[in-house]
Amino acid sequence: MTVVTAPVVRKSLWRAIAVTVLVAAANIALWAFLNRPAHIADWRGDIGGLAYNPSQRYQDPTKLIFPSEAELDSDIRLLSHYTHRLRTYSSYENPQIPRIARFYGMSVMAGAWIEGRAERNERELAALIALARNNDNIDRVIVGNEVILRGDLPVRKLIQYLDRARAQLHVPVSTAEPLDSWQRNPELIRHVDFVTVHVLPYWERVPRKDAVGFVLGQLKSLREIVDQVSPGKPIVLGEVGWPSNGDRREHAQPSIADEAHFLRDWFNVAAREHIDYYVMEAIDQPWKEQIGGRVEAYWGVFNAAREPKFALTGTVIEDPLWPWKAAAASLLALLPMFWFARHFIRFRVTGLFFFLLLVQLSASILVWMATLPYDFYLSPLDWTMLLLLFPAQLAIILILLINGFEFTEVIWRPFWLREFKLLTPAPDEPQPFVSIHLACYNEPPEMVILTLDSLAALDYDNYEVIVLDNNTRNPEIWQPVQAHCERLGAKFRFYHLEPWPGFKAGALNYGLEVTDPRAEVVAVIDADYEVRSDWLRALTGYFHNPRVAVVQCPQAHREWQHNAFRRMTNWEYDGFFRIGMHHRNERNAIIQHGTMTMVRRSALVDTGGWSEWTICEDAELGLRLMHAGHELVYVDELMGKGLTPADFKAYKSQRTRWAFGAMQIMKARLGWMVSRRSPLSRGQRFHFLTGWFSWFGDALHLVFTLMAMLWTLGMVLAPQYFMLPMYLFLVPLIGFFLFKAAFGIILYRVRVPCSWRDTIAASVASMGLSHAIANGIFQGLWRRKGEFVRTAKSRRIGKKPNPFMAVSEELLLFLALIACIVGMINSSGINYIEGRLWIAILAAQAIPYGSALIGAWVAHRSGDAAG
């Protein structure tokens, strides 16, 4: 017995504290690195001019919701501290602006909004002329804003409006367009008193570091054009700026730091070069998001709450609140990290750091996701999507942590705490009497006979075999098995049960009634298994320990080496028994399987026998025996081998049944798993609560797929109502897919003795079951009773069916997702990072359904799977 001394305990305690503190400090350091101050040239003068749209946070001029005069006064008073010039875009909507601006000593470049509606244009032009005549602080006017760029009017029509304004006003008149509009229509230059150009490097995909140079280059090009038509005519930069948020446009990244950097650099350059300009724009306008995309809401020097986004002097930090967020993330993760480090201090240091970093990363993502909405102007539709996504992302994080724990323990444990090997009994050691129960239903008689012959060859004296044929109607199938049992002798007894309730559990309960009274152990195998001769001799010794109720060996397979479908499914099954069962065995929490299992008869009978209310009676029995305080032993030795499912339909059907049964058990035994008074240990409750989380992930995958397809349909058919989700919401989803795939592949390479090709094939087989598992989860949650569907291990038909009949739903979902991807590409979604990420997510969502199609095709091409 190992005695743990106080100094050792203290040493492990301080080690756990040190690792936890180091990871928490690393988290704060990462937040600090991502928000390191940007050192930018100061600006201490006035801003040359600000383009001003006056709408408040929830106002929208397209819906005729305008600010009050008090709100306008408050805005203009605020802006007067930063500039003495404003530019407006409409004279009809907010005619008070020039008058209020005059009060604060500001001049106005007033605009008339010109578009395709002649009646509105006339109102705007009349309002502009009236304002210019009545307000001497209007020093120039703009008739039309990007009218040619939008294609609202032909050039000749715009010229008519310009000429009318020039004829009635004594202030300079212009129209505002980007450079290419002036280049293509040089005649327009003759009809303006000054040339107003918009240069926004972001829209031209220019990196922020090159943006000021780009603006100067555009102005130089325009100067050359203007001088060819009207030498010396003034040029005004009507819009220049950089957005603080929104979609990346290739090399152009919106951010507060980049906006500050561009504008402060620009202010200094413009002052030195004596450039006349107006910044696009004074205050963020969230309503523009609906008409121009998400980035349109974030061009302001001030946010919609009228707070400056950055200072004009000193360093600039992207997120000034990052210390609070970093501290919240570290505090959220601190106790879970310390608890894990304290309880699993035996793991190698690399493993401890890895999992603690995963916990800390998860906490940071949660804090980030919770605070992210406050960095954006979210519409009700955005909030709806966020409220739907946040629980899903929380579930994804939990699944990731659960998988990460398994990954850490398997990769970085120094040794298994509970590892059981084959026993070598002493010559005089007593043999417990074993009653072997073989339940079958409509199985090929030659397959069952092979199993019986392997049982007859057991190197063990004290056993019997009870064959329980459950509701097989055709005598030609069950009578040859009965005859073979008679030939094998008194140890073999055959019972034909028809009609008989309770599926396999009902048959096994009958077997208990007819079991030899001497039996101490009940062993169960499937009808397709060949067992090793030393199965009982090498394992029954574990029952000398009165606490042991179950000895379980892996589910293993034969005759798969030369059949591509059987091969891929064999390795898919093998992964769980080489990885997951060891992980669960560490805490006496294995899943009992209904084959290659031995159960102490008294424990089985005393706890109620096999449960007929669930179609996964074996897993339920294992949980029930743990609840009764028994030990379950897992021995990772291939003591028997059966056949894999015959085809993809059978493969899917088996996994649907397992998922359905898991939900039956979860609903019936939930109290055992959540109650603190439950005799189940924390480890057992953890594994039985979380062990099926990956299957919940498959159900979540289906839900998200359907939601994603509906959202994509909305974006393609009604883009005015449905927008791309912000890429920041999508990055964690992409990260989850990558982490989960990496965990699975690395564990396979470490624990499963197969080639890379077999690893990939097993992954395809596993992913191809996603839809089947999702169906089982939802049916198990909604329905109380399920039907025990026999898993076909051989096909006895002449003509092969269509390979895709078994995966018709997966085929429809796969084609629907491909259609969504094509729709996104054709609707220009590929031009934005959000669009490309959304397409990547749709593609990732399609992988399980494509895998099912591959699996079905491989099964079809593998020939008759009778083996």
Side-chain angles (χ1 to χ4, degrees), residues 62-212:
T62 65
K63 298 176 181 178
L64 304 181
I65 304 173
F66 301 110
S68 66
E69 182 155 342
E71 289 169 332
L72 291 173
D73 185 273
S74 177
D75 279 356
I76 295 171
R77 182 174 66 251
L78 170 68
L79 300 179
S80 69
H81 297 298
Y82 292 85
T83 185
H84 291 92
R85 300 196 309 166
L86 295 179
R87 176 194 170 183
T88 63
Y89 292 85
S90 170
S91 293
Y92 181 76
E93 290 176 351
N94 297 283
Q96 313 98 310
I97 291 176
R99 172 173 50 81
I100 298 171
R102 184 174 63 226
F103 179 81
Y104 291 105
M106 303 178 76
S107 64
V108 177
M109 181 166 72
W113 186 262
I114 302 297
E115 55 181 43
R117 295 178 292 176
E119 182 180 351
R120 177 192 170 96
N121 293 345
E122 292 298 329
R123 289 200 306 267
E124 279 284 346
L125 192 59
L128 174 66
I129 292 169
L131 283 178
R133 288 174 174 173
N134 296 326
N135 294 276
D136 57 7
N137 63 322
I138 294 180
D139 55 1
R140 47 192 175 187
V141 300
I142 300 290
V143 178
N145 185 70
E146 298 183 348
V147 176
I148 305 302
L149 176 66
R150 292 194 306 273
D152 286 351
L153 292 176
V155 175
R156 57 177 178 81
K157 187 64 176 176
L158 177 59
I159 288 174
Q160 292 175 9
Y161 285 120
L162 288 167
D163 289 345
R164 287 172 56 191
R166 294 175 75 197
Q168 299 181 63
L169 292 172
H170 298 292
V171 295
V173 176
S174 182
T175 191
E177 293 285 343
L179 175 61
D180 61 337
S181 294
W182 294 106
Q183 288 173 326
R184 287 184 283 104
N185 304 282
E187 69 275 19
L188 196 59
I189 297 172
R190 297 189 180 92
H191 296 269
V192 296
D193 299 311
F194 60 98
V195 177
T196 306
V197 66
H198 293 170
V199 185
L200 300 167
Y202 163 83
W203 288 118
E204 306 302 326
R205 301 175 171 84
V206 177
R208 195 275 312 154
K209 63 183 178 62
D210 302 325
V212 171

Side-chain angles (χ1 to χ4, degrees), residues 791-813:
T791 302
K793 300 296 178 69
S794 64
R795 261 197 323 240
R796 303 173 61 85
I797 56 178
K799 184 179 179 181
K800 295 180 184 178
N802 185 308
F804 299 122
M805 287 296 293
V807 287
S808 57
E809 292 181 6
E810 289 93 330
L811 177 60
L812 288 175
L813 287 166

Side-chain angles (χ1 to χ4, degrees), residues 370-593:
T371 57
L372 187 63
Y374 300 101
D375 296 332
F376 292 86
Y377 306 119
L378 299 185
S379 67
L381 204 58
D382 288 326
W383 277 110
T384 300
M385 191 167 192
L386 183 64
L387 291 174
L388 292 172
L389 276 177
F390 195 80
Q393 297 219 4
L394 185 61
I396 284 172
I397 286 173
L398 287 175
I399 292 170
L400 188 65
L401 287 173
I402 291 162
N403 290 343
F405 175 42
E406 178 185 65
F407 183 86
T408 302
E409 182 163 61
V410 171
I411 299 293
W412 285 297
R413 76 194 185 287
F415 51 84
W416 292 117
L417 294 177
R418 298 179 82 245
E419 187 171 25
F420 303 98
K421 301 290 187 181
L422 298 181
L423 303 175
T424 303
D428 58 345
E429 184 177 315
Q431 290 184 340
F433 191 94
V434 180
S435 183
I436 302 173
H437 295 180
L438 189 159
C440 55
Y441 162 67
N442 207 34
E443 304 288 0
E446 63 273 15
M447 183 176 75
V448 183
I449 288 170
L450 186 67
T451 300
L452 294 174
D453 287 341
S454 72
L455 293 174
L458 284 171
D459 182 14
Y460 199 81
D461 298 325
N462 233 6
Y463 76 99
E464 67 174 356
V465 177
I466 297 176
V467 180
L468 303 157
D469 184 78
N470 172 23
N471 293 307
T472 302
R473 296 183 179 181
N474 187 349
E476 295 180 1
I477 294 177
W478 61 266
Q479 286 179 352
V481 178
Q482 181 183 34
H484 194 72
C485 285
E486 293 171 357
R487 287 194 294 272
L488 289 174
K491 282 186 177 182
F492 289 78
R493 288 185 280 152
F494 180 91
Y495 297 90
H496 175 64
L497 309 175
E498 183 187 359
W500 199 257
F503 306 114
K504 182 180 179 180
L508 291 174
N509 280 330
Y510 180 81
L512 288 176
E513 295 177 12
V514 297
T515 293
D516 191 306
R518 296 173 295 165
E520 299 175 51
V521 176
V522 173
V524 180
I525 65 168
D526 283 348
D528 59 313
Y529 265 67
E530 285 186 78
V531 301
R532 270 173 48 172
S533 61
D534 61 340
W535 174 36
L536 301 183
R537 181 172 55 84
L539 294 175
T540 52
Y542 280 110
F543 288 100
H544 295 323
N545 180 351
R547 295 191 61 190
V548 171
V550 172
V551 177
Q552 176 76 58
C553 289
Q555 179 177 327
H557 304 95
R558 55 186 166 86
E559 300 177 18
W560 50 264
Q561 290 85 349
H562 305 295
N563 182 296
F565 176 67
R566 287 195 185 278
R567 187 181 189 93
M568 70 191 299
T569 54
N570 168 75
W571 290 119
E572 189 273 329
Y573 286 112
D574 207 45
F576 175 71
F577 290 97
R578 301 279 181 151
I579 301 167
M581 284 287 271
H582 282 280
H583 177 54
R584 300 179 70 108
N585 188 52
E586 285 290 84
R587 280 155 289 281
N588 188 32
I590 65 170
I591 293 286
Q592 184 178 3
H593 282 258

